[in-house]
Amino acid sequence: MDALFFLQLFIVLACIGIGGRYGGMGLGAGGGLGVAILVLGFGLKPSTPSITAMLIIICVIGAVSVLQAAGGLDYLVRVAEKLLRKKPQAITFVAPILTSIFTLFCGTTYVAFSLYPVVAEVAAEAKVRPERALSATVIAASVAVAASPMSAATAGMLAILHEYAGISLGQILAIALPSFFMAAIVTSFSVYKRGKELEDDPEFQRRVAAGEYEFMHTAQKKEYVASAGAKKGVVIFAIGVVLVLILGSFTGLLPSWDGKRLSTPMVIQMIMLTAALFIMIVSKVPSSTLNSGSVFRAGLMGVVAILGVSWMTATFFDAYQPELIKVFGGMVNGAPMLFGVVVFLFSLVIMSPAATVAAIMPLGVTLGIPAPYLIAIFACTCGDFIIPGANQIGCVAFDRTGTTKIGRFVVNHSYIRPGFVMVISQVIFAYLIAQVVL
């Protein structure tokens, strides 16, 4: 590796770091700048961005956005609230699993974010230290995107691994889903007795004595009545998800031409667009609301981020493919799981599982890492918990008892322990399951 390589690597990391400060759109713009410098400044041949992954994301985000406009996401949140209040004493275990299920179903953490204030208040009312439930819930809900059939991260993995090794969606999920749930349970146990009990916590006692805290009754003040359109929208979306799972798992059901079978990514695109149309028709969704929801805006920014980052990193890695294979090939062939550390470190900078998949997983393919190992380290793309983001910071505010904290050094916060436990345990479980599934 010469000085030019390290200069270009610095430019790639700098563009990711600077762009990441401005969110998804910033990542995409930073990636675009990096491509321009590498191609126009250094003369590298531009690579092709991950078009297949972006098309899947657009179609899935379109369907979820229509579901949100139909009131389906609000309906799901209300259902979750009722379930959380049924077992308040067990909230440290119930909340992470329940919120994760909604993330798995919709492929986005936006549904989970709406539940965090409820988790905080229900825990406090049950005299359970809110830090325990909140920290495990935030981590589990965010890592769930690495096990959701509807997430942008899974779409990226499918696009890469389907072309690389003919891996199907069903094979990815057969490893990712059970390993995720087992890791979520381990994570809940890791914080089950964390810190002092709520009534013995000095900060909570201070807030109560100073009149800064008083218990709130967590029951809904006004009964929520879901519209028929919201319920129908959820049913239609669920049917779409089931069809994706069936056709993505049993590819023999798909048509073929000239000996080449219809690809799973195309199936997902077709079904999600079809589901979106049926939700619009059946739920009578006003056209003016289709592109104004938070899911649509975030999804669009995610597509821009993946476009810029994947384009830039692919251009860089393709230019130095022989050198990278020579330097890292022997290392990862001897211990393929070490590549997970590389993925995790990159995720700290990129701060997006989907963008991390698009940027780094192709390098794993280039190095010849077997598909089972790449699936096993899928959760390593979720290292963005190290530097507190919107979810972590928001939950510090939601916890009125003061038990959930961001430390003086920023990275010493309430989510560090459950974050590492979740990612490490999921990788271990996924590795073991992959030996059986693949």
Side-chain angles (χ1 to χ4, degrees), residues 84-85 88 91 115-130 133-134 198 204 213-219 221 395 397-401:
L84 284 173
R85 293 189 175 103
I91 195 166
L115 292 170
Y116 296 151
V118 181
V119 173
E121 294 301 330
V122 170
E125 290 288 340
K127 305 296 175 62
V128 175
R129 186 182 178 89
L134 276 176
L198 178 60
F204 176 67
Y213 181 91
E214 58 182 42
F215 286 101
M216 296 170 58
H217 185 55
T218 56
K221 296 180 174 63
C395 285
F398 295 149
D399 181 7
R400 299 185 303 112
T401 66

PDB file of all heavy atoms in Angstrom, residues 84-85 88 91 115-130 133-134 198 204 213-219 221 395 397-401:
ATOM      1  N   LEU A  84     -47.987  -3.644  26.543  1.00  0.00           N
ATOM      2  CA  LEU A  84     -46.957  -3.260  27.520  1.00  0.00           C
ATOM      3  C   LEU A  84     -47.542  -3.101  28.917  1.00  0.00           C
ATOM      4  O   LEU A  84     -46.899  -3.434  29.912  1.00  0.00           O
ATOM      5  CB  LEU A  84     -46.282  -1.958  27.088  1.00  0.00           C
ATOM      6  CG  LEU A  84     -45.267  -2.051  25.947  1.00  0.00           C
ATOM      7  CD1 LEU A  84     -44.818  -0.668  25.530  1.00  0.00           C
ATOM      8  CD2 LEU A  84     -44.069  -2.887  26.359  1.00  0.00           C
ATOM      9  N   ARG A  85     -48.740  -2.584  28.999  1.00  0.00           N
ATOM     10  CA  ARG A  85     -49.345  -2.313  30.299  1.00  0.00           C
ATOM     11  C   ARG A  85     -49.913  -3.565  30.967  1.00  0.00           C
ATOM     12  O   ARG A  85     -50.255  -3.532  32.137  1.00  0.00           O
ATOM     13  CB  ARG A  85     -50.442  -1.261  30.144  1.00  0.00           C
ATOM     14  CG  ARG A  85     -49.899   0.106  29.747  1.00  0.00           C
ATOM     15  CD  ARG A  85     -50.978   1.176  29.809  1.00  0.00           C
ATOM     16  NE  ARG A  85     -50.413   2.483  29.536  1.00  0.00           N
ATOM     17  CZ  ARG A  85     -50.534   3.140  28.391  1.00  0.00           C
ATOM     18  NH1 ARG A  85     -51.221   2.588  27.407  1.00  0.00           N
ATOM     19  NH2 ARG A  85     -49.992   4.325  28.228  1.00  0.00           N
ATOM     20  N   PRO A  88     -46.533  -5.054  33.481  1.00  0.00           N
ATOM     21  CA  PRO A  88     -45.573  -3.979  33.807  1.00  0.00           C
ATOM     22  C   PRO A  88     -44.341  -4.456  34.558  1.00  0.00           C
ATOM     23  O   PRO A  88     -43.247  -3.934  34.351  1.00  0.00           O
ATOM     24  CB  PRO A  88     -46.408  -3.014  34.657  1.00  0.00           C
ATOM     25  CG  PRO A  88     -47.520  -3.838  35.204  1.00  0.00           C
ATOM     26  CD  PRO A  88     -47.831  -4.851  34.138  1.00  0.00           C
ATOM     27  N   ILE A  91     -41.476  -5.684  32.286  1.00  0.00           N
ATOM     28  CA  ILE A  91     -41.259  -4.788  31.143  1.00  0.00           C
ATOM     29  C   ILE A  91     -39.828  -4.845  30.604  1.00  0.00           C
ATOM     30  O   ILE A  91     -39.612  -4.597  29.418  1.00  0.00           O
ATOM     31  CB  ILE A  91     -41.639  -3.339  31.521  1.00  0.00           C
ATOM     32  CG1 ILE A  91     -41.768  -2.506  30.246  1.00  0.00           C
ATOM     33  CG2 ILE A  91     -40.640  -2.744  32.507  1.00  0.00           C
ATOM     34  CD1 ILE A  91     -42.447  -1.188  30.455  1.00  0.00           C
ATOM     35  N   LEU A 115     -43.053   4.252  21.083  1.00  0.00           N
ATOM     36  CA  LEU A 115     -43.337   3.471  22.290  1.00  0.00           C
ATOM     37  C   LEU A 115     -42.392   3.776  23.444  1.00  0.00           C
ATOM     38  O   LEU A 115     -42.681   3.418  24.585  1.00  0.00           O
ATOM     39  CB  LEU A 115     -43.253   1.978  21.964  1.00  0.00           C
ATOM     40  CG  LEU A 115     -44.332   1.431  21.035  1.00  0.00           C
ATOM     41  CD1 LEU A 115     -43.978   0.018  20.599  1.00  0.00           C
ATOM     42  CD2 LEU A 115     -45.685   1.450  21.714  1.00  0.00           C
ATOM     43  N   TYR A 116     -41.283   4.432  23.177  1.00  0.00           N
ATOM     44  CA  TYR A 116     -40.301   4.670  24.235  1.00  0.00           C
ATOM     45  C   TYR A 116     -40.866   5.457  25.423  1.00  0.00           C
ATOM     46  O   TYR A 116     -40.591   5.109  26.579  1.00  0.00           O
ATOM     47  CB  TYR A 116     -39.071   5.364  23.666  1.00  0.00           C
ATOM     48  CG  TYR A 116     -38.301   4.547  22.645  1.00  0.00           C
ATOM     49  CD1 TYR A 116     -37.569   5.153  21.632  1.00  0.00           C
ATOM     50  CD2 TYR A 116     -38.307   3.152  22.702  1.00  0.00           C
ATOM     51  CE1 TYR A 116     -36.871   4.402  20.683  1.00  0.00           C
ATOM     52  CE2 TYR A 116     -37.613   2.392  21.756  1.00  0.00           C
ATOM     53  CZ  TYR A 116     -36.912   3.029  20.758  1.00  0.00           C
ATOM     54  OH  TYR A 116     -36.222   2.286  19.832  1.00  0.00           O
ATOM     55  N   PRO A 117     -41.638   6.527  25.204  1.00  0.00           N
ATOM     56  CA  PRO A 117     -42.205   7.229  26.368  1.00  0.00           C
ATOM     57  C   PRO A 117     -43.116   6.333  27.193  1.00  0.00           C
ATOM     58  O   PRO A 117     -43.159   6.442  28.428  1.00  0.00           O
ATOM     59  CB  PRO A 117     -42.992   8.385  25.729  1.00  0.00           C
ATOM     60  CG  PRO A 117     -42.408   8.557  24.371  1.00  0.00           C
ATOM     61  CD  PRO A 117     -41.988   7.191  23.935  1.00  0.00           C
ATOM     62  N   VAL A 118     -43.840   5.440  26.526  1.00  0.00           N
ATOM     63  CA  VAL A 118     -44.721   4.513  27.237  1.00  0.00           C
ATOM     64  C   VAL A 118     -43.895   3.548  28.078  1.00  0.00           C
ATOM     65  O   VAL A 118     -44.227   3.272  29.237  1.00  0.00           O
ATOM     66  CB  VAL A 118     -45.604   3.735  26.233  1.00  0.00           C
ATOM     67  CG1 VAL A 118     -46.532   2.777  26.975  1.00  0.00           C
ATOM     68  CG2 VAL A 118     -46.404   4.685  25.364  1.00  0.00           C
ATOM     69  N   VAL A 119     -42.802   3.041  27.525  1.00  0.00           N
ATOM     70  CA  VAL A 119     -41.923   2.130  28.263  1.00  0.00           C
ATOM     71  C   VAL A 119     -41.393   2.810  29.519  1.00  0.00           C
ATOM     72  O   VAL A 119     -41.383   2.227  30.611  1.00  0.00           O
ATOM     73  CB  VAL A 119     -40.751   1.661  27.371  1.00  0.00           C
ATOM     74  CG1 VAL A 119     -39.741   0.857  28.184  1.00  0.00           C
ATOM     75  CG2 VAL A 119     -41.270   0.831  26.215  1.00  0.00           C
ATOM     76  N   ALA A 120     -40.979   4.058  29.385  1.00  0.00           N
ATOM     77  CA  ALA A 120     -40.420   4.797  30.526  1.00  0.00           C
ATOM     78  C   ALA A 120     -41.448   4.972  31.640  1.00  0.00           C
ATOM     79  O   ALA A 120     -41.153   4.741  32.817  1.00  0.00           O
ATOM     80  CB  ALA A 120     -39.912   6.162  30.061  1.00  0.00           C
ATOM     81  N   GLU A 121     -42.654   5.358  31.285  1.00  0.00           N
ATOM     82  CA  GLU A 121     -43.681   5.615  32.292  1.00  0.00           C
ATOM     83  C   GLU A 121     -44.213   4.336  32.915  1.00  0.00           C
ATOM     84  O   GLU A 121     -44.443   4.267  34.127  1.00  0.00           O
ATOM     85  CB  GLU A 121     -44.832   6.413  31.676  1.00  0.00           C
ATOM     86  CG  GLU A 121     -44.468   7.821  31.252  1.00  0.00           C
ATOM     87  CD  GLU A 121     -43.949   8.668  32.412  1.00  0.00           C
ATOM     88  OE1 GLU A 121     -44.361   8.429  33.571  1.00  0.00           O
ATOM     89  OE2 GLU A 121     -43.107   9.549  32.165  1.00  0.00           O
ATOM     90  N   VAL A 122     -44.406   3.292  32.096  1.00  0.00           N
ATOM     91  CA  VAL A 122     -44.896   2.021  32.631  1.00  0.00           C
ATOM     92  C   VAL A 122     -43.876   1.435  33.601  1.00  0.00           C
ATOM     93  O   VAL A 122     -44.228   0.917  34.665  1.00  0.00           O
ATOM     94  CB  VAL A 122     -45.199   1.033  31.491  1.00  0.00           C
ATOM     95  CG1 VAL A 122     -45.479  -0.365  32.047  1.00  0.00           C
ATOM     96  CG2 VAL A 122     -46.391   1.506  30.672  1.00  0.00           C
ATOM     97  N   ALA A 123     -42.599   1.515  33.266  1.00  0.00           N
ATOM     98  CA  ALA A 123     -41.555   1.008  34.154  1.00  0.00           C
ATOM     99  C   ALA A 123     -41.551   1.766  35.478  1.00  0.00           C
ATOM    100  O   ALA A 123     -41.468   1.153  36.552  1.00  0.00           O
ATOM    101  CB  ALA A 123     -40.188   1.127  33.469  1.00  0.00           C
ATOM    102  N   ALA A 124     -41.635   3.089  35.402  1.00  0.00           N
ATOM    103  CA  ALA A 124     -41.629   3.893  36.627  1.00  0.00           C
ATOM    104  C   ALA A 124     -42.834   3.581  37.500  1.00  0.00           C
ATOM    105  O   ALA A 124     -42.718   3.464  38.730  1.00  0.00           O
ATOM    106  CB  ALA A 124     -41.598   5.376  36.270  1.00  0.00           C
ATOM    107  N   GLU A 125     -44.001   3.435  36.893  1.00  0.00           N
ATOM    108  CA  GLU A 125     -45.213   3.117  37.651  1.00  0.00           C
ATOM    109  C   GLU A 125     -45.100   1.752  38.323  1.00  0.00           C
ATOM    110  O   GLU A 125     -45.642   1.528  39.400  1.00  0.00           O
ATOM    111  CB  GLU A 125     -46.427   3.135  36.723  1.00  0.00           C
ATOM    112  CG  GLU A 125     -46.820   4.513  36.222  1.00  0.00           C
ATOM    113  CD  GLU A 125     -47.459   5.376  37.311  1.00  0.00           C
ATOM    114  OE1 GLU A 125     -47.936   4.798  38.309  1.00  0.00           O
ATOM    115  OE2 GLU A 125     -47.462   6.608  37.171  1.00  0.00           O
ATOM    116  N   ALA A 126     -44.378   0.825  37.671  1.00  0.00           N
ATOM    117  CA  ALA A 126     -44.200  -0.518  38.234  1.00  0.00           C
ATOM    118  C   ALA A 126     -43.028  -0.579  39.206  1.00  0.00           C
ATOM    119  O   ALA A 126     -42.684  -1.658  39.700  1.00  0.00           O
ATOM    120  CB  ALA A 126     -43.992  -1.529  37.116  1.00  0.00           C
ATOM    121  N   LYS A 127     -42.421   0.579  39.488  1.00  0.00           N
ATOM    122  CA  LYS A 127     -41.261   0.698  40.380  1.00  0.00           C
ATOM    123  C   LYS A 127     -40.050  -0.087  39.848  1.00  0.00           C
ATOM    124  O   LYS A 127     -39.205  -0.558  40.623  1.00  0.00           O
ATOM    125  CB  LYS A 127     -41.611   0.228  41.796  1.00  0.00           C
ATOM    126  CG  LYS A 127     -42.808   0.928  42.397  1.00  0.00           C
ATOM    127  CD  LYS A 127     -42.547   2.420  42.590  1.00  0.00           C
ATOM    128  CE  LYS A 127     -43.810   3.132  43.091  1.00  0.00           C
ATOM    129  NZ  LYS A 127     -44.264   2.646  44.412  1.00  0.00           N
ATOM    130  N   VAL A 128     -39.985  -0.224  38.522  1.00  0.00           N
ATOM    131  CA  VAL A 128     -38.836  -0.848  37.868  1.00  0.00           C
ATOM    132  C   VAL A 128     -37.930   0.262  37.344  1.00  0.00           C
ATOM    133  O   VAL A 128     -38.412   1.222  36.736  1.00  0.00           O
ATOM    134  CB  VAL A 128     -39.277  -1.745  36.694  1.00  0.00           C
ATOM    135  CG1 VAL A 128     -38.062  -2.291  35.937  1.00  0.00           C
ATOM    136  CG2 VAL A 128     -40.151  -2.888  37.192  1.00  0.00           C
ATOM    137  N   ARG A 129     -36.648   0.146  37.593  1.00  0.00           N
ATOM    138  CA  ARG A 129     -35.712   1.163  37.129  1.00  0.00           C
ATOM    139  C   ARG A 129     -35.842   1.324  35.604  1.00  0.00           C
ATOM    140  O   ARG A 129     -35.514   0.395  34.842  1.00  0.00           O
ATOM    141  CB  ARG A 129     -34.283   0.743  37.493  1.00  0.00           C
ATOM    142  CG  ARG A 129     -33.209   1.784  37.187  1.00  0.00           C
ATOM    143  CD  ARG A 129     -31.830   1.231  37.553  1.00  0.00           C
ATOM    144  NE  ARG A 129     -30.775   2.180  37.232  1.00  0.00           N
ATOM    145  CZ  ARG A 129     -30.326   3.127  38.063  1.00  0.00           C
ATOM    146  NH1 ARG A 129     -30.848   3.216  39.286  1.00  0.00           N
ATOM    147  NH2 ARG A 129     -29.380   3.957  37.690  1.00  0.00           N
ATOM    148  N   PRO A 130     -36.324   2.482  35.117  1.00  0.00           N
ATOM    149  CA  PRO A 130     -36.570   2.651  33.679  1.00  0.00           C
ATOM    150  C   PRO A 130     -35.342   2.441  32.803  1.00  0.00           C
ATOM    151  O   PRO A 130     -35.463   2.016  31.650  1.00  0.00           O
ATOM    152  CB  PRO A 130     -37.075   4.101  33.582  1.00  0.00           C
ATOM    153  CG  PRO A 130     -37.695   4.365  34.898  1.00  0.00           C
ATOM    154  CD  PRO A 130     -36.825   3.630  35.883  1.00  0.00           C
ATOM    155  N   ALA A 133     -35.242  -1.192  31.252  1.00  0.00           N
ATOM    156  CA  ALA A 133     -36.147  -1.468  30.138  1.00  0.00           C
ATOM    157  C   ALA A 133     -35.824  -0.611  28.920  1.00  0.00           C
ATOM    158  O   ALA A 133     -35.811  -1.098  27.786  1.00  0.00           O
ATOM    159  CB  ALA A 133     -37.591  -1.241  30.578  1.00  0.00           C
ATOM    160  N   LEU A 134     -35.559   0.670  29.153  1.00  0.00           N
ATOM    161  CA  LEU A 134     -35.310   1.579  28.029  1.00  0.00           C
ATOM    162  C   LEU A 134     -34.035   1.231  27.269  1.00  0.00           C
ATOM    163  O   LEU A 134     -34.020   1.200  26.038  1.00  0.00           O
ATOM    164  CB  LEU A 134     -35.228   3.026  28.531  1.00  0.00           C
ATOM    165  CG  LEU A 134     -36.538   3.782  28.708  1.00  0.00           C
ATOM    166  CD1 LEU A 134     -36.276   5.156  29.307  1.00  0.00           C
ATOM    167  CD2 LEU A 134     -37.281   3.916  27.386  1.00  0.00           C
ATOM    168  N   LEU A 198     -35.274   1.409  41.721  1.00  0.00           N
ATOM    169  CA  LEU A 198     -35.718   2.775  41.452  1.00  0.00           C
ATOM    170  C   LEU A 198     -35.874   3.595  42.728  1.00  0.00           C
ATOM    171  O   LEU A 198     -35.377   4.731  42.817  1.00  0.00           O
ATOM    172  CB  LEU A 198     -37.038   2.759  40.681  1.00  0.00           C
ATOM    173  CG  LEU A 198     -37.639   4.131  40.368  1.00  0.00           C
ATOM    174  CD1 LEU A 198     -36.675   4.958  39.521  1.00  0.00           C
ATOM    175  CD2 LEU A 198     -38.984   3.977  39.659  1.00  0.00           C
ATOM    176  N   PHE A 204     -33.263   9.754  41.619  1.00  0.00           N
ATOM    177  CA  PHE A 204     -34.728   9.674  41.671  1.00  0.00           C
ATOM    178  C   PHE A 204     -35.250  10.235  42.996  1.00  0.00           C
ATOM    179  O   PHE A 204     -36.233  10.988  43.022  1.00  0.00           O
ATOM    180  CB  PHE A 204     -35.164   8.219  41.507  1.00  0.00           C
ATOM    181  CG  PHE A 204     -36.652   8.021  41.645  1.00  0.00           C
ATOM    182  CD1 PHE A 204     -37.533   8.542  40.710  1.00  0.00           C
ATOM    183  CD2 PHE A 204     -37.166   7.317  42.724  1.00  0.00           C
ATOM    184  CE1 PHE A 204     -38.910   8.366  40.837  1.00  0.00           C
ATOM    185  CE2 PHE A 204     -38.528   7.132  42.867  1.00  0.00           C
ATOM    186  CZ  PHE A 204     -39.403   7.657  41.917  1.00  0.00           C
ATOM    187  N   TYR A 213     -40.583  15.369  40.242  1.00  0.00           N
ATOM    188  CA  TYR A 213     -41.158  14.154  39.667  1.00  0.00           C
ATOM    189  C   TYR A 213     -42.419  13.774  40.430  1.00  0.00           C
ATOM    190  O   TYR A 213     -42.462  13.808  41.661  1.00  0.00           O
ATOM    191  CB  TYR A 213     -40.165  12.986  39.746  1.00  0.00           C
ATOM    192  CG  TYR A 213     -40.720  11.714  39.145  1.00  0.00           C
ATOM    193  CD1 TYR A 213     -40.515  11.421  37.804  1.00  0.00           C
ATOM    194  CD2 TYR A 213     -41.472  10.823  39.909  1.00  0.00           C
ATOM    195  CE1 TYR A 213     -41.034  10.267  37.231  1.00  0.00           C
ATOM    196  CE2 TYR A 213     -41.998   9.673  39.349  1.00  0.00           C
ATOM    197  CZ  TYR A 213     -41.780   9.403  38.007  1.00  0.00           C
ATOM    198  OH  TYR A 213     -42.314   8.273  37.458  1.00  0.00           O
ATOM    199  N   GLU A 214     -43.418  13.410  39.702  1.00  0.00           N
ATOM    200  CA  GLU A 214     -44.599  12.811  40.299  1.00  0.00           C
ATOM    201  C   GLU A 214     -45.130  11.772  39.329  1.00  0.00           C
ATOM    202  O   GLU A 214     -45.024  11.907  38.116  1.00  0.00           O
ATOM    203  CB  GLU A 214     -45.675  13.858  40.590  1.00  0.00           C
ATOM    204  CG  GLU A 214     -46.154  14.646  39.380  1.00  0.00           C
ATOM    205  CD  GLU A 214     -47.186  15.697  39.772  1.00  0.00           C
ATOM    206  OE1 GLU A 214     -46.996  16.358  40.805  1.00  0.00           O
ATOM    207  OE2 GLU A 214     -48.182  15.818  39.045  1.00  0.00           O
ATOM    208  N   PHE A 215     -45.651  10.702  39.894  1.00  0.00           N
ATOM    209  CA  PHE A 215     -46.100   9.603  39.051  1.00  0.00           C
ATOM    210  C   PHE A 215     -47.291  10.023  38.207  1.00  0.00           C
ATOM    211  O   PHE A 215     -48.146  10.791  38.637  1.00  0.00           O
ATOM    212  CB  PHE A 215     -46.482   8.397  39.919  1.00  0.00           C
ATOM    213  CG  PHE A 215     -45.295   7.690  40.490  1.00  0.00           C
ATOM    214  CD1 PHE A 215     -44.910   7.910  41.810  1.00  0.00           C
ATOM    215  CD2 PHE A 215     -44.548   6.817  39.721  1.00  0.00           C
ATOM    216  CE1 PHE A 215     -43.807   7.255  42.343  1.00  0.00           C
ATOM    217  CE2 PHE A 215     -43.441   6.163  40.240  1.00  0.00           C
ATOM    218  CZ  PHE A 215     -43.081   6.381  41.554  1.00  0.00           C
ATOM    219  N   MET A 216     -47.285   9.506  36.995  1.00  0.00           N
ATOM    220  CA  MET A 216     -48.391   9.752  36.071  1.00  0.00           C
ATOM    221  C   MET A 216     -49.144   8.446  35.866  1.00  0.00           C
ATOM    222  O   MET A 216     -48.554   7.369  35.821  1.00  0.00           O
ATOM    223  CB  MET A 216     -47.859  10.235  34.705  1.00  0.00           C
ATOM    224  CG  MET A 216     -47.150  11.566  34.764  1.00  0.00           C
ATOM    225  SD  MET A 216     -46.310  11.939  33.197  1.00  0.00           S
ATOM    226  CE  MET A 216     -47.698  11.888  32.057  1.00  0.00           C
ATOM    227  N   HIS A 217     -50.455   8.561  35.759  1.00  0.00           N
ATOM    228  CA  HIS A 217     -51.241   7.372  35.469  1.00  0.00           C
ATOM    229  C   HIS A 217     -51.068   7.053  33.992  1.00  0.00           C
ATOM    230  O   HIS A 217     -51.366   7.885  33.147  1.00  0.00           O
ATOM    231  CB  HIS A 217     -52.722   7.612  35.787  1.00  0.00           C
ATOM    232  CG  HIS A 217     -53.572   6.386  35.632  1.00  0.00           C
ATOM    233  ND1 HIS A 217     -53.304   5.209  36.280  1.00  0.00           N
ATOM    234  CD2 HIS A 217     -54.678   6.157  34.884  1.00  0.00           C
ATOM    235  CE1 HIS A 217     -54.225   4.308  35.954  1.00  0.00           C
ATOM    236  NE2 HIS A 217     -55.064   4.851  35.096  1.00  0.00           N
ATOM    237  N   THR A 218     -50.593   5.877  33.683  1.00  0.00           N
ATOM    238  CA  THR A 218     -50.224   5.580  32.304  1.00  0.00           C
ATOM    239  C   THR A 218     -51.370   5.087  31.437  1.00  0.00           C
ATOM    240  O   THR A 218     -51.195   4.848  30.260  1.00  0.00           O
ATOM    241  CB  THR A 218     -49.117   4.509  32.274  1.00  0.00           C
ATOM    242  OG1 THR A 218     -49.562   3.350  32.987  1.00  0.00           O
ATOM    243  CG2 THR A 218     -47.845   5.033  32.892  1.00  0.00           C
ATOM    244  N   ALA A 219     -52.545   4.942  32.016  1.00  0.00           N
ATOM    245  CA  ALA A 219     -53.663   4.511  31.177  1.00  0.00           C
ATOM    246  C   ALA A 219     -54.024   5.607  30.193  1.00  0.00           C
ATOM    247  O   ALA A 219     -53.860   6.795  30.455  1.00  0.00           O
ATOM    248  CB  ALA A 219     -54.879   4.178  32.051  1.00  0.00           C
ATOM    249  N   LYS A 221     -55.866   8.379  28.383  1.00  0.00           N
ATOM    250  CA  LYS A 221     -56.915   9.294  28.823  1.00  0.00           C
ATOM    251  C   LYS A 221     -58.117   9.226  27.897  1.00  0.00           C
ATOM    252  O   LYS A 221     -59.237   9.404  28.305  1.00  0.00           O
ATOM    253  CB  LYS A 221     -56.358  10.726  28.869  1.00  0.00           C
ATOM    254  CG  LYS A 221     -55.248  10.930  29.895  1.00  0.00           C
ATOM    255  CD  LYS A 221     -54.771  12.365  29.875  1.00  0.00           C
ATOM    256  CE  LYS A 221     -53.759  12.621  30.985  1.00  0.00           C
ATOM    257  NZ  LYS A 221     -52.542  11.833  30.835  1.00  0.00           N
ATOM    258  N   CYS A 395     -34.591   9.072  24.704  1.00  0.00           N
ATOM    259  CA  CYS A 395     -35.011   8.259  25.849  1.00  0.00           C
ATOM    260  C   CYS A 395     -34.452   8.780  27.167  1.00  0.00           C
ATOM    261  O   CYS A 395     -35.035   8.535  28.226  1.00  0.00           O
ATOM    262  CB  CYS A 395     -34.614   6.807  25.630  1.00  0.00           C
ATOM    263  SG  CYS A 395     -35.675   5.962  24.447  1.00  0.00           S
ATOM    264  N   ALA A 397     -34.457  11.867  27.852  1.00  0.00           N
ATOM    265  CA  ALA A 397     -35.492  12.853  28.188  1.00  0.00           C
ATOM    266  C   ALA A 397     -36.794  12.179  28.597  1.00  0.00           C
ATOM    267  O   ALA A 397     -37.497  12.654  29.503  1.00  0.00           O
ATOM    268  CB  ALA A 397     -35.735  13.769  26.985  1.00  0.00           C
ATOM    269  N   PHE A 398     -37.128  11.056  27.969  1.00  0.00           N
ATOM    270  CA  PHE A 398     -38.370  10.346  28.305  1.00  0.00           C
ATOM    271  C   PHE A 398     -38.334   9.785  29.723  1.00  0.00           C
ATOM    272  O   PHE A 398     -39.365   9.676  30.384  1.00  0.00           O
ATOM    273  CB  PHE A 398     -38.620   9.205  27.316  1.00  0.00           C
ATOM    274  CG  PHE A 398     -38.876   9.650  25.900  1.00  0.00           C
ATOM    275  CD1 PHE A 398     -38.502   8.849  24.830  1.00  0.00           C
ATOM    276  CD2 PHE A 398     -39.482  10.873  25.639  1.00  0.00           C
ATOM    277  CE1 PHE A 398     -38.735   9.255  23.523  1.00  0.00           C
ATOM    278  CE2 PHE A 398     -39.709  11.295  24.334  1.00  0.00           C
ATOM    279  CZ  PHE A 398     -39.343  10.487  23.277  1.00  0.00           C
ATOM    280  N   ASP A 399     -37.144   9.413  30.197  1.00  0.00           N
ATOM    281  CA  ASP A 399     -37.005   8.859  31.539  1.00  0.00           C
ATOM    282  C   ASP A 399     -36.983   9.997  32.564  1.00  0.00           C
ATOM    283  O   ASP A 399     -35.936  10.553  32.886  1.00  0.00           O
ATOM    284  CB  ASP A 399     -35.724   8.031  31.635  1.00  0.00           C
ATOM    285  CG  ASP A 399     -35.543   7.398  33.013  1.00  0.00           C
ATOM    286  OD1 ASP A 399     -36.467   7.502  33.840  1.00  0.00           O
ATOM    287  OD2 ASP A 399     -34.475   6.799  33.246  1.00  0.00           O
ATOM    288  N   ARG A 400     -38.143  10.320  33.096  1.00  0.00           N
ATOM    289  CA  ARG A 400     -38.240  11.445  34.029  1.00  0.00           C
ATOM    290  C   ARG A 400     -37.635  11.127  35.393  1.00  0.00           C
ATOM    291  O   ARG A 400     -37.458  12.025  36.213  1.00  0.00           O
ATOM    292  CB  ARG A 400     -39.706  11.860  34.203  1.00  0.00           C
ATOM    293  CG  ARG A 400     -40.358  12.328  32.914  1.00  0.00           C
ATOM    294  CD  ARG A 400     -41.776  12.842  33.122  1.00  0.00           C
ATOM    295  NE  ARG A 400     -42.631  11.845  33.733  1.00  0.00           N
ATOM    296  CZ  ARG A 400     -43.140  11.930  34.960  1.00  0.00           C
ATOM    297  NH1 ARG A 400     -42.854  12.971  35.721  1.00  0.00           N
ATOM    298  NH2 ARG A 400     -43.926  10.982  35.440  1.00  0.00           N
ATOM    299  N   THR A 401     -37.301   9.839  35.633  1.00  0.00           N
ATOM    300  CA  THR A 401     -36.703   9.484  36.916  1.00  0.00           C
ATOM    301  C   THR A 401     -35.207   9.799  36.955  1.00  0.00           C
ATOM    302  O   THR A 401     -34.607   9.823  38.021  1.00  0.00           O
ATOM    303  CB  THR A 401     -36.880   7.973  37.199  1.00  0.00           C
ATOM    304  OG1 THR A 401     -36.135   7.216  36.237  1.00  0.00           O
ATOM    305  CG2 THR A 401     -38.355   7.584  37.113  1.00  0.00           C
TER     306      THR A 401
END
